Amino acid sequence: MPERKTEGTQDLNQLRKVRREKLAALMEAGENPYEIVTYDQTEHTKEIKDNYEAFEGKSVSVAGRMMSKRVMGKASFANLQDRDGNIQIYVSRDDLGDDNYKKFKKLDVGDILGVKGIVFTTKMGEKSIHAKEVTLLSKSLQILPEKFHGLTDTDIRYRQRYVDLIMNPEVKDVFIKRSKIISAIRRYLDDRDFMEVETPMLVENAGGASARPFTTHFNALDEDKKLRISLELYLKRLIVGGLERVYEIGRVFRNEGLDIKHNPEFTLMELYQAYTDYNGMMDLTEDMYRTVAQEVLGTTTIVYKGVEMDLGKPFTRMTMTEAVKKYSGVDFDEVKTVEEARALADEREIHYEDRHEIGDILNLFFDEYVEDKLIQPTFITGHPIEISPLTKKDPEHPGKVLRFEMFMNGWEMCNAYSELNDPIDQRERFKMQEAQLAKGDEEAQTTDEDFLNALEVGMPPTGGIGYGIDRWCMLFTGAEAIRDVLLFPTMKSIKE
């Protein structure tokens, strides 16, 4: 807990000492609160308040954390907070009896209580519970932050999310909404005959994306393993196996930096559908975003930091070359050699590496000039083959592939392909990746022989897509950073 002075000269250590002494006294009296294993919680506070007329005068049983207490002689008031909200509790000596009322007065803010009583309204108009019985269910030995100041230190909030959830109701609301978003996504896909599956996290070959993996050692087999960076290659194996429509929502791990949009472990959803292509994935994506927004938010208009994004309108569609030309003035359809591309990059002071080809430099221009301009939902197509090792070639546009990325708020939200199912072409692409790896590209992929074997068995024409669930949740909840939608984000260790 954050150190702070409170109650005159008493510091936190003294307050903690007092709480431990109270616990010791309870133990000595044979009243160990930690031995209680269950409590008959029949209602939640929000349910009572929202349906007050039905509950007025009725007996209820609630449980939660005491957030405040006012002792006023023979009667006291407390505020009890549970999962859904909070409610005032009226406690009197006449109802509890002398001994139990004395015990109540010794309780601390933060203690977890069970309360049985009658629902009523005070003279001040406060919907409350007139307690007939109060049970200490768990003793809090720590000191909650002052309610007036709250818990605002972001480092402490992320490290002690359990305190953050107690003190900041809006934080709890974000994670409740996140759960609803994921549930809505599952319903959408389940209703369309997709099958949810689980694939390995600990893998020999971390393929399916351009990212640096985490490596670990498996002692039992004396082998190095990697944490997956993608879900793709195993899900495609299931398409080969005839499952036709599969999806997975799960954690992936990329050994990269931390910023407002990146965390080394994050939630990815990938889905694959046999007998369709990237156009089918585009239609599905547009409809799914619109449907989930309507279900969870009650609207298809997203407002993020004051900027409106309309999911109700048809999403914009343009090629990467068109987008670069629109925002930079450079037409890469006119660029015929890598020397011309490098000269343009030099002119615009865009850094490239010796291994980069025309398509790589086109992508660098896109990153520099376009991505942050794509605020409204936009599909970008026509990616160069150099940056798309797992995608089918576009037969009408040499050097391009059948792929799209969707952008909103200047962020990449998903990435989709007409999946490459030619095992001979795929082997050549892996060779190109291996060559890039040899030239120093630590994010290049390596050859996966078992995946190639699966393709040789035969994979039908397939559309596939990957969604960043955390960014999706950021947009739909208004969260400013990815850490705000991760219950326990990655943090630098505190050195003693």
Side-chain angles (χ1 to χ4, degrees), residues 201-447:
M201 291 188 182
L202 202 61
V203 297
E204 184 176 342
N205 189 321
S210 297
R212 185 188 303 174
F214 288 93
T215 301
T216 188
H217 188 75
F218 183 25
N219 292 332
L221 297 180
D222 192 25
E223 290 181 350
D224 284 340
K225 296 287 186 180
K226 296 180 176 66
L227 293 176
R228 66 185 182 187
I229 60 174
S230 171
L231 312 174
E232 180 167 347
L233 300 187
Y234 279 97
L235 291 176
K236 285 182 179 177
R237 286 168 166 92
L238 300 180
I239 295 294
V240 171
L243 294 185
E244 292 193 5
R245 297 188 183 201
V246 294
Y247 76 96
E248 181 174 7
I249 300 174
R251 285 288 175 127
V252 296
F253 309 86
R254 298 183 182 180
N255 200 347
E256 56 189 17
L258 294 161
D259 60 35
I260 64 168
K261 293 188 294 181
H262 294 90
N263 193 73
E265 57 173 310
F266 61 97
T267 302
L268 183 65
M269 179 178 77
E270 294 195 27
L271 63 88
Y272 293 84
Q273 179 179 343
Y275 312 113
T276 190
D277 65 359
Y278 81 125
N279 289 301
M281 293 294 98
M282 224 180 293
D283 294 339
L284 181 148
T285 297
E286 185 167 343
D287 186 57
M288 180 162 58
Y289 261 86
R290 191 173 292 137
T291 301
V292 171
Q294 187 65 52
E295 180 177 334
V296 176
L297 305 178
T299 178
T300 57
T301 300
I302 309 299
V303 181
Y304 187 85
K305 291 187 178 180
V307 177
E308 285 193 2
M309 287 159 273
D310 191 351
L311 294 166
K313 296 178 179 178
F315 293 8
T316 300
R317 304 186 183 199
M318 67 175 108
T319 68
M320 182 176 283
T321 301
E322 289 170 344
V324 168
K325 183 178 180 180
K326 177 178 179 178
Y327 291 105
S328 76
V330 176
D331 185 356
F332 269 80
D333 281 340
E334 302 299 320
V335 177
K336 305 304 180 185
T337 67
V338 69
E339 288 78 18
E340 291 179 64
R342 290 173 178 173
L344 287 167
D346 290 338
E347 180 184 312
R348 300 296 181 100
E349 297 183 344
I350 292 177
H351 174 73
Y352 57 88
E353 299 178 22
D354 290 343
R355 61 185 174 82
H356 283 153
E357 302 293 335
I358 297 174
D360 297 298
I361 295 173
L362 167 62
N363 191 49
L364 292 173
F365 267 76
F366 180 85
D367 291 344
E368 178 69 23
Y369 287 101
V370 181
E371 187 166 341
D372 63 354
K373 311 295 192 309
L374 303 179
I375 304 302
Q376 297 302 317
T378 303
F379 290 121
I380 296 294
T381 62
H383 292 67
I385 194 171
E386 291 91 337
I387 62 169
S388 311
L390 298 166
T391 315
K392 273 191 174 184
K393 295 175 182 175
D394 185 341
E396 297 181 5
H397 299 92
K400 302 294 174 61
V401 296
L402 302 174
R403 171 185 175 187
F404 76 80
E405 293 173 290
M406 191 193 88
F407 291 84
M408 278 180 68
N409 195 48
W411 302 347
E412 178 196 336
M413 301 302 295
C414 62
N415 185 18
Y417 311 150
S418 289
E419 302 296 336
L420 179 59
N421 61 344
D422 179 343
I424 297 170
D425 188 359
Q426 182 64 80
R427 183 174 292 278
E428 291 303 311
R429 305 278 192 97
F430 277 141
K431 284 181 180 178
M432 291 168 58
Q433 288 287 296
E434 297 272 12
Q436 295 298 320
L437 186 66
K439 292 179 181 178
D441 184 357
E442 295 181 339
E443 296 186 348
Q445 300 186 46
T446 55
T447 302

Side-chain angles (χ1 to χ4, degrees), residues 470-484:
D470 305 306
R471 290 186 189 176
W472 192 331
C473 292
M474 286 173 68
L475 274 186
F476 278 27
T477 63
E480 293 192 9
I482 191 172
R483 291 182 176 188
D484 294 325

